[in-house]
Amino acid sequence: MKATIVTIGDEILIGQIVDTNSGFIAKALDKIGVEIHEMISISDNKKHILDTFAQLQNQVDLVVITGGLGPTKDDITKHTFCEYFEDKLIRNEAVEKHVIDLIERAMNRPASQMNKDQALVPSTCTVLHNQVGTAPGMWMKKENTVYISLPGVPYEMKYIVENEIIPKIVKEYKRPYIIHKTILTYGQGESLVAERIENWENNLPEFIKLAYLPSPGKVRLRLSARGTDKEILESAIEENVLSLTKIISDIIVGFEEEDTIEVVLGRLLTDQNKTLATAESCTGGKIAQMLTAVSGASKYFKGSVVCYATETKISMLGLSEQLIRDHSVVSSEVAKAMAISVKKLMKSDYAIATTGNAGPSKGDTNATVGTVFIAIATPNEVIVEEFDFGQPREKVINRAVNKAFELLQKEILKNLL
């Protein structure tokens, strides 16, 4: 079963908002064995929408559309549906009752006529109930293709996908199984990882595909198996993951997409009953932000000092002006002092400190743009490493964050031995 996801909205095409709906829908469909053929974004233009519908007709089994549903006049998807299916709008009493109840309960005011008109749907559509909003989803079929229209509001779209669309597809369509397993590696680039696992990759079964998903400092390896026997697929995936682990165990930090390095670090710290603090200059608090995005981080993360300016390093962390004058604010000595100070300040077991020049200008230092010092304070010592992360600024910051996590993990594991 193949699907195309279509997002409608000029605000997406001009970059005013980022389309996150397509990713959610794709993951939800993939989990039940629906193959995503393509994702496209189109404008709020009736002809453009009609042309897209016609082009996809009988080319895929399922077309999922988000956007263009709402109470305002510029939401044209329902009218376009009627034109494409040669249908007419009728008032759905159940939808109207839901809209009135929701508006009166949530907003404490009578529903306007514009709100009530959300209950207008094509006469031949199957209504997909939207418990958390006023715009219902619509399911219509023409020849061999099902067209599903969803509101663009993310939480409304998610509700309908999870509670209406997925159960309906599972009940009415036979689909193959698609099994994924993602291995997260840290510390080596894509080409080096590929060289190390070349023989293993060449011996994968034909029904298992490997994808390299690189990003600064890490490479995710995604195994995908597709077939009709779920047990055979799962067994083959596990067998090949086990053999892969034996080859690159030194760089594997977790499995599945949920096991990011931040999650792995949190688990290590929690298991050892240890705590962490950070002192960030060039990374500007991004390390702390990523750590605290993990649920339960308060168990092990004490806090952070974002000492971006030189004077803040002096006033907040107590670094001496002489130290900075002698060695520069971007130096091994300053990074080490920052880590020691924040570890003492927060009474933590471990600490990360970053200082560097992310560019584009040199600021308070003569260090080359891209130069970063990262210090890790452990219960026993402080290690400091220097890096040249190049340019541009965003790359320097992201690579510094990733490298800091990698160094911390290495030190925690070292202390477990």
Side-chain angles (χ1 to χ4, degrees), residues 385-405:
E385 292 198 25
E386 178 182 1
F387 303 93
D388 181 357
F389 292 135
Q391 296 184 50
R393 180 181 179 82
E394 182 180 2
K395 175 185 174 184
V396 175
I397 295 171
N398 288 335
R399 292 190 68 183
V401 171
N402 289 328
K403 182 57 70 172
F405 287 150

Side-chain angles (χ1 to χ4, degrees), residues 124-384:
T124 56
C125 86
T126 298
V127 172
L128 303 173
H129 180 57
N130 180 4
Q131 178 64 31
V132 295
T134 58
M138 300 179 294
W139 176 298
M140 300 185 77
K141 186 172 184 179
K142 188 169 186 177
E143 298 178 7
N144 298 317
T145 302
V146 170
Y147 294 80
I148 302 173
S149 181
L150 299 170
V153 180
Y155 70 86
E156 295 185 28
M157 173 277 300
K158 290 177 181 179
Y159 176 88
I160 298 176
V161 168
E162 292 173 341
N163 295 277
E164 297 284 332
I165 294 174
I166 298 302
K168 187 172 176 65
I169 293 175
V170 169
K171 181 180 179 181
E172 298 182 9
Y173 294 90
K174 186 176 181 180
R175 298 143 287 106
Y177 292 101
I178 301 176
I179 307 295
H180 297 294
K181 184 79 170 183
T182 301
I183 302 98
L184 182 64
T185 73
Y186 246 79
Q188 291 185 355
E190 179 183 8
S191 59
L192 182 55
V193 173
E195 286 179 15
R196 293 182 63 182
I197 67 174
E198 182 178 5
N199 290 335
W200 171 86
E201 183 178 356
N202 290 338
N203 287 292
L204 284 173
E206 288 187 1
F207 59 86
I208 296 181
K209 304 299 180 185
L210 173 66
Y212 292 83
L213 309 171
S215 56
K218 59 186 176 182
V219 179
R220 285 157 53 216
L221 303 172
R222 188 189 66 223
L223 288 170
S224 300
R226 181 185 179 89
T228 56
D229 192 315
K230 186 177 181 181
E231 289 187 4
I232 290 177
L233 297 180
E234 290 178 338
S235 176
I237 286 283
E238 291 305 320
E239 179 181 334
N240 282 280
V241 167
L242 180 61
S243 60
L244 175 64
T245 303
K246 295 177 181 178
I247 301 170
I248 56 170
S249 60
D250 57 312
I251 60 171
I252 291 177
V253 295
F255 298 92
E256 304 297 349
E257 296 189 34
E258 289 76 18
D259 280 344
T260 62
I261 188 68
E262 307 92 84
V263 173
V264 173
L265 287 171
R267 192 157 52 235
L268 284 170
L269 290 165
T270 301
D271 290 346
Q272 298 303 311
N273 196 29
K274 301 297 183 183
T275 57
L276 172 67
T278 63
E280 300 185 57
S281 182
C282 61
T283 49
K286 190 165 185 178
I287 294 174
Q289 186 273 323
M290 292 180 69
L291 288 168
T292 55
V294 179
S295 176
S298 60
K299 295 177 183 177
Y300 52 84
F301 185 60
K302 287 291 195 76
S304 178
V305 175
V306 181
C307 43
Y308 202 71
T310 299
E311 56 265 29
T312 310
K313 295 177 179 65
I314 297 169
S315 62
M316 296 295 293
L317 290 179
L319 271 62
S320 76
E321 296 182 39
Q322 188 65 45
L323 176 74
I324 294 172
R325 279 197 302 268
D326 290 346
H327 301 285
S328 167
V329 72
V330 178
S331 64
S332 173
E333 290 79 7
V334 167
K336 180 177 181 179
M338 289 170 61
I340 292 172
S341 178
V342 79
K343 180 174 178 286
K344 182 179 179 181
L345 179 67
M346 300 287 181
K347 296 181 175 62
S348 63
D349 299 294
Y350 290 88
I352 298 173
T354 62
T355 181
N357 184 3
S361 62
K362 289 192 173 182
D364 293 343
T365 177
N366 289 321
T368 305
V369 172
T371 301
V372 176
F373 289 88
I374 301 173
I376 306 294
T378 77
N380 305 312
E381 62 180 338
V382 181
I383 64 105
V384 186

Side-chain angles (χ1 to χ4, degrees), residues 56-73:
L56 296 173
Q57 181 71 52
N58 298 325
Q59 299 302 306
V60 292
D61 305 289
L62 191 64
V63 178
V64 183
I65 306 110
T66 65
L69 291 180
T72 56
K73 292 181 179 179

